[in-house]
Amino acid sequence: MPQQDRVEETTTASANPTGSRRAADRPDDERYDPKRVESKWFERWQSDSELYAAEHHSTKRKYYVLEMLPYPSGVLHMGHVRNYSIGDALARYMWMNGYNVLHPMGWDSFGLPAENAAIQNNTPPRQWTLGNIAKMKAQMKRLGFAYDWSREVTTCLPDYYRWNQWFFLKFYEKGLAYRKKSKVNWCPQCATVLANEQVLTNGCCWRHEDTPVEQRALEQWFLRITKYADELLRDLDKLGGWPEKVRTMQRNWIGRSEGALIDFKLDYSQPHTGFGPAGATISVFTTRVDTIYGATSVQLAPQHPMVADLTAASADLRAKVEQLIAEQRKAKEVGDIGEIEKHGVFTGRYAINPFNGEKIPIWVANYIVMDYGTGAIMSVPAHDDRDYEFAKKYKIEIRLVVLPISDDPEETVTEPRLPFVAHEGMLINSGPYSGLECAEAIKTMSAFAEQNGFGKATVTYRLKDWGISRQRYWGTPIPMLYCEKDGIVPVPEKDLPVILPENVEITLAGGSPLGKIPEFVNATCPKCGGPARRETDTMDTFVDSSWYFYRYADAHNDRAPFDSKIARYWFPIDQYIGGVEHAILHLIYSRFWTKFMRDLSLITNDEPVERLFTQGMVIKDGAKMSKSLGNIVSPDEMVARYGADAARLYSLFAAPPDRDLDWQDSGIEGIQRFLGRVFRFVMRNASAGHESVEMLPATSLSPQARQIQRKLHQTIKRVSDDFQGRWHFNTCISAIMELVNALYAYEEACRSTSDNGNHTSAALMAEVQRNLVLLLAPFAPYLAHELWDILGEKGSLLKAPWPRYDAALAKEEELEIPVQINGKLRSRIVVPADASEEFVVERALADEKIQAAIAGKQIVNKIYVPGKLVNIVVR
RNA sequence: GCCGGGAUGGCGAAAUUGGCAGACGCAGCGGACUUAAAAUCCGCAGGUCCGAAAGGACUGUGGGGGUUCGAUUCCCCCUCCCGGCACCA
């Protein structure tokens, strides 16, 4: 019942103007209204397009900070906000530290969603994409991100993608782009080919996680990334500024493996049909050629080209092989090829071990994959887990050829537990190689194979050449022509760009939409002048993002992708920031592209990115934000409710930037409270003392004022250190919060004593406020600019010098030293900061509590860590 | 299986070189202001136990062991969670 009364009272009270008049009477308590402040500054920043422009000719040190460019889906999500808040804070910090900062933004704007939207809404992809860009750009500006928009890159516009085409021609010229009919990954949903990198480990499409990828044979364009495989691997060691995690992922992806190719001749000594040409061989890849005397079968992948010949005689065999293929495909779909039951079938044929002339059976097995090595192995059951399992099942001979080496010759193991897979061992039963150690045997035996023409040492990679053809519309046209007379002919450089036509009917069926436009397809051969057919596939969108950051350096160049001199100034990128989901695809392609450009002498850097930072995801209620879970937090809504500063500051404060951030609305409310506290403090004290912002002599300050000065300098140090070294923005912000808390306590203290109005304190107040605003500037630019104005500062806050701390002023005069007995805290003593060890230990021992605790015990040791603690060891 | 990263109050987290565990914030509780509410300001707060209180004792950083005067931090073993790679020959 009382509650009901209260409701009525509330309603009547809200109509009563008395309360609001009273609030207005007290400007001290003016409420912080982010909407008012932010819209004021938003307007000012809008009208100055040069505000965040990087300098073209500068004597300052350069700093290139880059956030991964977004796909223009139409709306920013919180992950973007977090990513860009980190980059923006860094850019602003570096400006304040006197650098010439390049901080650009652009749009990765080709891709399938635009085509899907076209089908669903009957909107042309270009219109849909450019409309989305406009929306997202407005969101970014509202969030106050300091981008140099004069360098904006939009990858779907001809002034950008013509250089994709130009690069393609260069690749072709250097023999690094080639056309090949090959089995490719085909997603029936996307109706296009996918790169290996776009197929998930469960064999499904990266965009349609439930749709298994099919294999189709198509003519495709490939870029020879494998030419750089070794360098891409080796140079990972140079990337000290990259997360170990990303380097490891790339290492795994490249998957370098040293071994040998060995040719096994087919055995023709028995009757046969369909056994291939006389003298045919099966080439196997092995990392353990030293175990070849233990090989007791050859195993082929079911898709191996020789399988057809080997099984030609028997319909039954062919059916079994089909079964093995089906098993393998199914296992890939399920995602655990390592777990399937091993099956195989004996072909009835034999191969000859070139080392000992022995005839060994040829099998086809479902655990051999065609896309690694040669798709054929020599099976050594005694020294390989998988071969062992298989041999046990099918009763194939298991022959021991390596023994473990023991330090103690008495303890030589002659019957190791099988399979014995360690590389540290000594060969037995291996003809002339018996007695050698594995590593040496590998060298000797590879060399022997090479000398005798049946093998060689080699290296294989998991990394495959990059298939870039896509049978889609919304991408860069591949600048190639097919002439009946001259074959494949590149479009001459002067004819670039090959413009992507508009007004195209888009469906997901029936191959490339470009193929249906005669004006596009029909062209003239530049060599013979006869009719030619234009390539109708477009490029993978990862081409667009492989080099876009070079374009920022010289975004309007219409004679080259960019000027080499300018690129030399800005590259490598000092700091790149983005999601870890791009650790392999985008970042390995970008590294590849950089190495190619270096070989074209366009640039001099070997690597595009000096330091990489992968920020954590933004999650809600412990799960990734998604429409289906209904846990999406909208940046627009957050900005409307709490302001851009609060949204940005919270995304930096709630967790260290490399960890996942669990979004909590109550958390951002706390940040809003904090910003209000800062605002009100400055509103109350802004007029405190403009007369002096000089460093004050410590001696003229009251003890409370001196304490504030000390706290200020400690805070400057902490924020600078955490920003510079560790990138822990959360602790930067909590340090600023502590300073503000101390300022509130100081105000309180001034009110109760007569310190208020004291001249020196007033000057200190001005100094403190000025520095507080500077510290806040990289994180909460709107409020910081407003307060900078209120403090009467005239110069630009954007490039105002970052505050320096004075170590002498930051130093404590007295220290509270914990005193432990046997490592347990027993008391605390206060001593002068410069007290000697003798003094501190003496005072510790004199302490009442310590006296009581050590009474009757013998002191064994006294440990003093200067400025930190005293530990007294007693027995 | 291999590789990388994690595990700290009710929650997000902090502790930078082996030295006071829990800064800062959220949620909570108490107080001030207010007719009332909101807003704001001040204060309390890891857990258990003793005490009216002041205060004190014990315990505590996923689990077990070790090194050390002293371990969230270093070493060994184990559990669980997240991410990557994987019949890779």
Side-chain angles (χ1 to χ4, degrees):
Chain A
M1 267 192 313
Q3 282 188 337
Q4 280 178 344
D5 292 343
R6 209 191 294 162
V7 170
E8 276 173 33
E9 279 171 7
T10 311
T11 340
T12 39
S14 64
N16 180 356
T18 329
S20 56
R21 191 183 325 125
R22 184 171 298 137
D25 289 345
R26 292 160 58 194
D28 282 12
D29 288 340
E30 187 180 344
R31 208 156 159 171
Y32 172 53
D33 178 6
K35 214 167 273 176
R36 180 184 64 76
V37 170
E38 294 190 359
S39 60
K40 169 182 159 189
W41 287 95
F42 176 76
E43 295 303 328
R44 285 200 199 177
W45 293 338
Q46 281 287 69
S47 61
D48 186 354
S49 59
E50 291 292 293
L51 200 54
Y52 308 119
E55 296 168 36
H56 286 287
H57 304 285
S58 179
T59 50
K60 292 175 189 166
R61 282 186 64 193
K62 67 98 182 178
Y63 196 85
Y64 187 173
V65 52
L66 181 69
E67 298 113 62
M68 289 182 185
L69 86 178
Y71 178 79
S73 61
V75 64
L76 290 181
H77 53 70
M78 274 301 165
H80 291 127
V81 173
R82 190 182 195 196
N83 187 183
Y84 308 149
S85 296
I86 294 168
D88 202 58
L90 180 62
R92 290 173 185 275
Y93 179 78
M94 296 313 283
W95 266 312
M96 294 176 81
N97 278 281
Y99 285 79
N100 181 23
V101 174
L102 174 55
H103 188 216
M105 185 43 73
W107 312 97
D108 186 17
S109 48
F110 270 137
L112 205 55
E115 288 185 61
N116 291 334
I119 292 164
Q120 275 166 28
N121 317 328
N122 209 21
T123 317
R126 181 185 158 98
Q127 189 187 323
W128 183 84
T129 303
L130 296 181
N132 285 348
I133 288 173
K135 280 187 238 170
M136 291 171 80
K137 193 168 169 180
Q139 283 184 297
M140 287 180 177
K141 288 188 168 180
R142 178 60 188 84
L143 279 156
F145 296 131
Y147 296 124
D148 181 351
W149 288 110
S150 71
R151 297 163 184 267
E152 182 176 6
V153 163
T154 306
T155 61
C156 67
L157 298 180
D159 72 332
Y160 181 79
Y161 70 67
R162 71 174 289 185
W163 301 112
N164 282 348
Q165 296 171 340
W166 185 85
F167 278 118
F168 184 88
L169 295 178
K170 293 293 166 195
F171 276 108
Y172 185 72
E173 221 172 82
K174 303 287 177 193
L176 296 181
Y178 63 95
R179 191 165 162 84
K180 180 177 87 174
K181 183 159 190 166
S182 76
K183 290 227 172 121
V184 291
N185 308 301
W186 177 273
C187 172
Q189 291 268 335
C190 299
T192 189
V193 163
L194 303 176
N196 290 333
E197 287 81 352
Q198 290 160 343
V199 180
L200 305 178
T201 38
N202 67 1
C204 291
C205 170
W206 67 311
R207 303 205 74 99
H208 303 97
E209 299 178 12
D210 304 322
T211 307
V213 166
E214 299 167 5
Q215 299 295 307
R216 289 197 182 179
L218 287 175
E219 288 270 325
Q220 302 288 320
W221 283 102
F222 288 85
L223 296 185
R224 210 180 294 278
I225 189 172
T226 51
K227 187 197 165 193
Y228 291 94
D230 253 330
E231 197 188 344
L232 287 168
L233 181 71
R234 203 165 1 99
D235 285 357
L236 285 172
D237 296 336
K238 287 197 216 161
L239 299 176
W242 284 40
E244 189 51 47
K245 178 185 183 169
V246 173
R247 294 197 284 166
T248 306
M249 282 164 75
Q250 293 211 353
R251 238 174 244 127
N252 288 343
W253 190 259
I254 295 167
R256 185 180 197 274
S257 180
E258 273 183 37
L261 287 171
I262 303 292
D263 296 334
F264 282 64
K265 281 199 174 106
L266 291 185
D267 175 40
Y268 287 87
S269 65
Q270 50 179 314
H272 59 270
T273 50
F275 207 27
T281 59
I282 295 173
S283 182
V284 307
F285 175 71
T286 178
T287 55
R288 292 297 304 274
V289 67
D290 55 314
T291 64
I292 198 166
Y293 281 78
T296 51
S297 67
V298 164
Q299 302 281 346
L300 302 180
Q303 303 88 343
H304 194 281
M306 209 164 266
V307 169
D309 273 344
L310 292 172
T311 58
S314 160
D316 182 44
L317 265 179
R318 288 201 303 276
K320 280 182 179 158
V321 169
E322 283 307 314
Q323 179 66 31
L324 296 174
I325 293 175
E327 283 170 12
Q328 208 178 64
R329 184 185 307 137
K330 194 161 173 224
K332 270 199 173 136
E333 282 167 22
V334 179
D336 51 351
I337 192 159
E339 301 303 313
I340 59 160
E341 174 105 24
K342 290 182 179 48
H343 282 125
V345 55
F346 174 42
T347 60
R349 306 299 176 189
Y350 292 84
I352 297 164
N353 184 336
F355 274 82
N356 58 8
E358 186 178 9
K359 265 170 48 174
I360 56 175
I362 302 171
W363 288 64
V364 180
N366 65 354
Y367 74 98
I368 310 300
V369 292
M370 194 55 223
D371 53 11
Y372 185 79
T374 60
I377 64 152
M378 62 177 206
S379 175
V380 186
H383 302 290
D384 182 278
D385 290 310
R386 296 148 301 174
D387 294 349
Y388 182 79
E389 188 188 334
F390 191 85
K392 274 279 181 196
K393 180 164 181 170
Y394 289 101
K395 311 234 164 10
I396 298 172
E397 188 195 345
I398 298 168
R399 192 186 301 161
L400 190 70
V401 291
V402 178
L403 286 182
I405 300 174
S406 172
D407 295 337
D408 181 359
E410 298 292 308
E411 265 183 42
T412 302
V413 182
T414 52
E415 286 177 12
R417 215 188 124 191
L418 292 179
F420 174 66
V421 297
H423 285 55
E424 295 74 35
M426 190 187 78
L427 271 60
I428 56 164
N429 303 325
S430 295
Y433 306 101
S434 298
L436 291 181
E437 288 191 16
C438 292
E440 201 189 341
I442 289 174
K443 275 187 213 152
T444 316
M445 294 169 83
S446 302
F448 179 77
E450 190 151 5
Q451 280 154 25
N452 290 276
F454 59 77
K456 63 173 180 186
T458 187
V459 176
T460 53
Y461 299 91
R462 212 192 84 91
L463 182 73
K464 296 280 174 284
D465 277 341
W466 178 13
I468 60 154
S469 295
R470 296 291 179 275
Q471 291 67 49
R472 296 308 329 152
Y473 162 68
W474 193 233
T476 305
I478 296 173
M480 284 292 175
L481 296 164
Y482 303 98
C483 170
E484 274 179 36
K485 192 162 142 269
D486 296 307
I488 297 174
V489 182
V491 172
E493 229 177 281
K494 65 174 174 50
D495 293 346
L496 296 184
V498 176
I499 295 280
L500 184 67
E502 291 185 47
N503 303 321
V504 175
E505 196 207 338
I506 294 166
T507 59
L508 287 184
S512 172
L514 290 176
K516 295 173 215 150
I517 309 170
E519 310 89 277
F520 180 80
V521 177
N522 299 324
T524 309
C525 173
K527 269 191 183 163
C528 68
R533 188 174 53 82
R534 202 178 281 286
E535 168 67 65
T536 57
D537 285 352
T538 53
M539 296 183 198
D540 182 4
T541 55
F542 277 99
V543 168
D544 307 329
S545 54
S546 292
W547 69 278
Y548 74 100
F549 31 75
Y550 288 94
R551 185 71 180 168
Y552 286 138
D554 190 16
H556 304 289
N557 196 326
D558 58 3
R559 297 173 318 281
F562 53 85
D563 181 271
S564 293
K565 272 206 292 293
I566 298 176
R568 202 171 307 147
Y569 173 72
W570 285 112
F571 276 80
I573 294 163
D574 294 275
Q575 183 69 59
Y576 197 21
I577 307 159
V580 74
E581 65 272 18
H582 295 110
I584 298 175
L585 307 174
H586 163 56
L587 290 169
I588 215 162
Y589 293 146
S590 295
R591 296 181 58 225
F592 161 54
W593 212 277
T594 287
K595 290 178 190 306
F596 176 65
M597 293 197 301
R598 177 206 56 200
D599 290 349
L600 287 179
S601 301
L602 277 176
I603 52 172
T604 50
N605 49 302
D606 288 327
E607 288 286 339
V609 174
E610 184 77 24
R611 285 168 56 92
L612 173 72
F613 189 87
T614 53
Q615 95 266 11
M617 280 192 308
V618 181
I619 57 176
K620 179 89 193 287
D621 311 321
K624 198 173 169 175
M625 289 185 190
S626 75
K627 273 185 200 151
S628 57
L629 285 171
N631 61 349
I632 291 182
V633 178
S634 142
D636 281 348
E637 198 188 320
M638 289 300 128
V639 170
R641 262 164 64 186
Y642 307 106
D645 278 349
R648 296 174 54 157
L649 202 59
Y650 177 67
S651 78
L652 295 174
F653 175 70
D658 53 339
R659 259 199 252 179
D660 285 354
L661 184 160
D662 200 339
W663 191 275
Q664 287 172 330
D665 285 355
S666 57
I668 191 172
E669 278 170 29
I671 289 294
Q672 196 194 27
R673 272 200 283 275
F674 164 68
L675 292 173
R677 271 165 79 81
V678 174
F679 180 79
R680 286 188 300 275
F681 180 84
V682 175
M683 292 308 281
R684 279 195 298 271
N685 298 288
S687 58
H690 290 303
E691 54 273 28
S692 166
V693 289
E694 295 298 307
M695 212 73 90
L696 295 161
T699 46
S700 66
L701 293 174
S702 68
Q704 291 100 323
R706 174 71 189 95
Q707 209 172 332
I708 281 298
Q709 188 183 43
R710 193 181 300 123
K711 184 75 181 174
L712 170 66
H713 285 268
Q714 289 171 349
T715 304
I716 296 170
K717 175 171 165 47
R718 272 181 67 190
V719 175
S720 306
D721 287 354
D722 280 0
F723 207 123
Q724 199 93 33
R726 304 197 309 160
W727 269 43
H728 278 199
F729 308 117
N730 53 333
T731 53
C732 289
I733 294 163
S734 55
I736 301 173
M737 286 172 169
E738 280 185 51
L739 174 64
V740 172
N741 290 348
L743 290 172
Y744 268 66
Y746 177 60
E747 271 189 312
E748 190 77 3
C750 287
R751 229 167 282 150
S752 56
T753 67
S754 60
D755 208 11
N756 196 13
N758 172 324
H759 173 79
T760 55
S761 318
L764 174 70
M765 271 305 213
E767 185 198 342
V768 165
Q769 289 177 83
R770 189 174 188 280
N771 283 298
L772 172 62
V773 170
L774 289 169
L775 290 174
L776 215 48
F779 308 109
Y782 281 109
L783 177 62
H785 275 79
E786 174 71 5
L787 297 180
W788 194 243
D789 224 24
I790 287 169
L791 288 175
E793 295 285 347
K794 292 288 176 270
S796 154
L797 175 59
L798 188 69
K799 289 172 187 175
W802 184 253
R804 295 288 183 97
Y805 69 92
D806 182 326
L809 293 178
K811 202 176 168 215
E812 296 284 353
E813 283 152 16
E814 286 189 323
L815 296 173
E816 193 188 58
I817 302 282
V819 183
Q820 299 181 332
I821 291 174
N822 290 349
K824 285 195 176 182
L825 182 68
R826 286 291 178 249
S827 185
R828 297 162 200 277
I829 55 171
V830 175
V831 297
D834 53 1
S836 68
E837 172 164 358
E838 291 76 21
F839 180 85
V840 176
V841 172
E842 198 177 304
R843 285 285 293 274
L845 287 170
D847 184 83
E848 260 178 49
K849 286 178 195 162
I850 298 301
Q851 279 291 321
I854 61 176
K857 302 211 169 101
Q858 186 197 348
I859 295 176
V860 185
N861 200 359
K862 289 172 274 190
I863 290 150
Y864 175 58
V865 184
K868 285 271 163 72
L869 96 175
V870 176
N871 186 18
I872 294 160
V873 187
V874 298
R875 216 174 5 227

